[in-house]
Each structure stands twice: as C-alpha cells, then as structure tokens.
Amino acid sequence: MELTKEILSYIENITPGCFAIYRAADGKLETLYASPRLPALNGMTEEEYADFTREDAAAIVFPADREKIMGALMDCIRSGEQCDQYYRVYHKIRGFGWVHGSGRVCGTLNGCPVILVVYVNASSEADIYQKLLDHSDNMVYVCDRSTRELLYVNETARKQRRVDDESYAGKKCYSYIWGRTAPCADCVMSRGEKLTGEKRFNRDTNRWELMSGDGIIWCGRDAYVHYISDVTAGETLRENMEAQHQRELAGYRKTMQELLTANPDAL
C-alpha cells in the first residue's frame, strides 16, 4: 500500500509510546517521523537526535550491532513479518544503552518500504538489573556466551579499573578483566557451569577476590554474569590467625623441647 501524508499522520496519532517511522532506501533509513519521547532514550534533545540521525537513522545504532539490525530489517521487509530485536544505541551521557525495537512494514512511499518501529528502554524491562542490584557491592560483568563480548560492567567494576562507561563497549571479557589476548583456558562459560565460589589472588591489584557466576538472558542474548567480590580483609585476617597459630605452635614445641632437654627422665 502506497502511503499518503494523511495515512502517515493517522499512524503518528494512533501509535502510543516511543516510536519512529522510517523509509528504507539505498541501504539507509530515512526518518519520516520520530515521537517526542524517543530522543530521551539516547539522552538527547529532539534537535540533537535529529542532527545525529539526519543522514541515516541507523547511525544511532552501536557499530557492533548495526549489521545485525539492518539484516533483521531487510528480513522484515522481505517476509512482511514483525522484527523484534534487542540492541545497543548511542547514548549522549552513558556512552550507549540497550533498547528493544519491534518493527513492521506498514506500506510504501515512492516505491520504497516504510517501517514502523516501537521502542522500549530495555534497561527497565523484565527486571534484568535485579541480579546486579542484589550484588551491588561486587564487581559485576555480563558477557555474551558465544562471542565473549562484554555487554555490561557495573559501576563498582568500572571504578576498580578507573575507566569510563564507553571503554568496555565492544571489548572481550578476557581482555578487559584479565588483560589477556585469548579466552581463558578454563573459562567457566565454555564449561557451561554455575560458579559458586572460587578464590584467587589478583596480582595486578594485590587483592584477594572471590568469584561466582551463572547464566542469564541479557536483553535477549544468551549471556553469563560474573560476580567478583574483594575478600582481601577476610583473607588477611585468616592468614594472620594462621600465622599466629603457627607461632604459638612453634613456641609450644620449643618450650617442650627445652623441658625435655633439661629433664630427659621426664619421658
């Protein structure tokens, strides 16, 4: 169906929430309409959002997700079925954020397909932050199981490494967390196991850490969440108590040896 200005205006008036109408042409998305609430998902004003997406609305999509999203939209156009995707978009303040977009072809304009996409801020969907909030004092890393890409790093972890929100975007977990160039040989994600507690000494920070983790669905992606807590204080106390015990034991043995040496008939 070829759309008229009247039909487009009708669609704009009856569609609720955050949404946009795009015309797909020459491998780009031309914005025909963006609802007033949409720029806020990117931490922008309407003017900033319009400038950012003027040449191509897909420019707002995080580069690592752009090919996947454009491919999904092309499939949507060919099949006529709804496109439903979670992906990252540029955010003026946080660097990037997650959105959930549902799109469907609603007609054509000048022979090119027109797509209506409704957006939801995925960061507030389905309590996906619940596990993170339960471990807010820990360092938290969410990694894609198949690609090892970091999907989220909480504030505690970012402060630990003194980096900003953008620096982990697109990086591999083994590179960002451990400074390695290849996946860890004993990667718990490869084993598909739940990690209930594993203690290790971090030579980079000279701190003891306790690690745990489990599988999680993060914005529609099969992921693994790692929790790392600093247990240096407890480990130091344990080591001090053990050292004290060994000193007391050595003192006792020395005293007994002196007593036996002075009085061999005591045996």
Side-chain angles (χ1 to χ4, degrees):
M1 177 182 67
E2 184 73 4
L3 301 176
T4 63
K5 289 184 178 179
E6 290 74 19
I7 295 176
L8 285 172
S9 178
Y10 176 74
I11 294 173
E12 294 167 11
N13 289 328
I14 66 168
T15 305
C18 293
F19 69 96
I21 303 173
Y22 305 109
R23 175 176 175 264
D26 301 322
K28 296 182 179 180
L29 294 179
E30 175 192 355
T31 303
L32 301 179
Y33 177 81
S35 64
R37 292 174 54 190
L38 182 55
L41 290 183
N42 306 92
M44 299 179 180
T45 64
E46 290 187 43
E47 293 75 14
E48 289 171 334
Y49 183 86
D51 288 340
F52 201 100
T53 59
R54 192 176 307 281
E55 297 296 326
D56 184 4
I60 204 75
V61 180
F62 189 68
D65 295 344
R66 201 170 296 160
E67 182 177 352
K68 180 189 73 170
I69 294 306
M70 292 304 293
L73 285 177
M74 293 304 104
D75 290 342
C76 171
I77 292 171
R78 284 190 292 268
S79 67
E81 297 180 355
Q82 180 171 307
C83 170
D84 194 78
Q85 295 286 325
Y86 288 85
Y87 56 97
R88 290 162 292 185
V89 293
Y90 175 79
H91 193 283
K92 182 181 176 182
I93 300 171
R94 298 196 304 269
F96 72 87
W98 287 89
V99 296
H100 179 190
S102 297
R104 183 182 291 276
V105 175
C106 58
T108 60
L109 184 64
N110 298 328
C112 294
V114 174
I115 306 170
L116 170 66
V117 181
V118 177
Y119 295 99
V120 177
N121 183 348
S123 295
S124 63
E125 278 195 343
D127 294 326
I128 61 174
Y129 280 140
Q130 186 60 55
K131 289 188 177 182
L132 305 183
L133 294 175
D134 289 342
H135 298 77
S136 59
D137 290 335
N138 295 344
M139 291 178 282
V140 180
Y141 303 91
V142 180
C143 313
D144 186 291
R145 277 184 183 266
S146 60
T147 67
R148 303 294 196 276
E149 182 184 1
L150 281 168
L151 305 178
Y152 180 78
V153 178
N154 77 338
E155 184 178 358
T156 301
R158 294 196 301 270
K159 286 182 177 179
Q160 175 74 12
R161 282 163 175 76
R162 295 179 176 84
V163 295
D164 58 30
D165 286 344
E166 295 180 272
S167 64
Y168 72 86
K171 291 188 177 180
K172 305 294 187 180
C173 57
Y174 52 82
S175 172
Y176 183 85
I177 302 174
W178 313 119
R180 296 173 178 169
T181 57
C184 306
D186 59 345
C187 178
V188 66
M189 289 189 289
S190 298
R191 302 198 303 265
E193 300 174 355
K194 179 178 180 179
L195 189 64
T196 56
E198 184 176 300
K199 192 186 303 180
R200 76 175 193 111
F201 183 71
N202 188 329
R203 298 184 183 279
D204 295 330
T205 61
N206 291 318
R207 310 289 291 180
W208 281 96
E209 297 173 342
L210 184 67
M211 298 179 291
S212 59
D214 200 0
I216 186 176
I217 299 300
W218 178 269
C219 295
R221 296 173 69 166
D222 184 22
Y224 196 91
V225 56
H226 299 264
Y227 306 110
I228 304 178
S229 56
D230 189 330
V231 293
T232 303
E235 190 64 19
T236 300
L237 178 61
R238 186 194 66 79
E239 290 178 348
N240 289 340
M241 291 178 66
E242 178 64 23
Q244 179 63 27
H245 173 69
Q246 291 299 327
R247 287 194 296 270
E248 291 175 353
L249 183 60
Y252 171 77
R253 289 172 176 168
K254 181 180 179 181
T255 299
M256 290 300 297
Q257 184 62 43
E258 291 173 348
L259 288 172
L260 290 174
T261 299
N263 188 14
D265 294 334
L267 293 174

